[in-house]
Amino acid sequence: TAFAKTETVQAAIFAWLVLGERLTGLVVAGICVGVAGVLALALGGRKLSPREIATSLVQPAALCGLGTGALFSLTGVMVKRATLHLTMPDPVAEALVTLLVVLVLQTAMLGTYVAVREPKTWGRVAATWRASGQVGLLAALGSACWFTGFATAPVALVRVVGQVEVLFTLGFSRLMLREPTKSHEVLGLLLVTAGVVLALLGALG
């Protein structure tokens, strides 16, 4: 999970290679600080030496995490590239059209898989349609925000600003689930916040 959080750095690299996007030094610094904060949260307070980190990079779990981060990063880059190929006057409309196509493809592929491999799942989904519908609606709205961001700003900048989701997650867990906040979470939150602020200052400067 921790290595998957490197997606912001990977997004900057892929966006530079595929789209030619360049970032200011302040934005790059914000990305690094933000990733450090997310890693602090993901590691759960565990302390790893540089040697342990280097050794863990070749472990299957780490490779899967890095691969996950790479795929998430490439998704953002490809979404941006797809919107650039549309000729609509409004970039937000381009983002929403791209999202619609992606959702249709996802629904078709996953729906077919479930129908073939786990047909009983459809019955369980239908029985909980209210909760499922709410989750689906919120997920679609979140995706609309992501796609709009990718269409209107550099991919890596969108990714680093999007890390504020961990702030909301921990905030909701504290307020709604009464989960205590740990010291490493405070450190991670401060780093994520600092990273977002640096990235925004670099983008606006």
Side-chain angles (χ1 to χ4, degrees):
T1 302
F3 288 106
K5 303 304 180 183
T6 61
E7 62 178 290
T8 305
V9 175
Q10 296 190 61
I13 296 173
F14 287 131
W16 172 61
L17 292 174
V18 178
L19 303 173
E21 292 184 348
R22 298 182 181 276
L23 303 173
T24 65
L26 203 54
V27 173
V28 173
I31 290 173
C32 294
V33 173
V35 169
V38 175
L39 287 175
L41 292 169
L43 290 173
R46 290 175 295 164
K47 296 181 179 180
L48 298 178
S49 66
R51 182 177 181 179
E52 289 174 325
I53 295 176
T55 302
S56 64
L57 284 174
V58 297
Q59 299 299 320
L63 295 176
C64 288
L66 291 171
T68 300
L71 291 175
F72 275 125
S73 303
L74 282 172
T75 298
V77 172
M78 292 300 106
V79 166
K80 177 67 172 280
R81 189 171 184 180
T83 60
L84 293 175
H85 280 77
L86 297 177
T87 57
M88 304 175 71
D90 185 5
V92 176
E94 293 175 342
L96 295 180
V97 169
T98 304
L99 174 61
L100 177 62
V101 174
V102 170
L103 290 178
V104 169
L105 291 174
Q106 285 182 338
T107 302
M109 290 186 291
L110 292 176
T112 301
Y113 175 85
V114 171
V116 173
R117 300 295 299 272
E118 301 177 11
K120 294 182 179 180
T121 300
W122 281 114
R124 292 192 288 268
V125 172
T128 58
W129 67 272
R130 291 183 184 275
S132 301
Q134 293 172 1
V135 173
L137 176 61
L138 290 174
L141 291 175
S143 296
C145 292
W146 278 115
F147 278 51
T148 301
F150 292 141
T152 56
V155 175
L157 179 61
V158 176
R159 280 295 184 189
V160 69
V161 175
Q163 288 176 343
V164 297
E165 66 179 320
V166 300
L167 304 180
F168 291 109
T169 300
L170 291 176
F172 282 124
S173 69
R174 173 68 175 174
L175 295 175
M176 301 179 67
L177 303 178
R178 306 299 180 185
E179 294 181 348
T181 302
K182 301 177 182 178
S183 58
H184 73 273
E185 292 176 339
V186 175
L187 174 62
L189 291 175
L190 291 175
L191 288 173
V192 169
T193 303
V196 171
V197 171
L198 285 173
L200 289 176
L201 289 175
L204 297 174

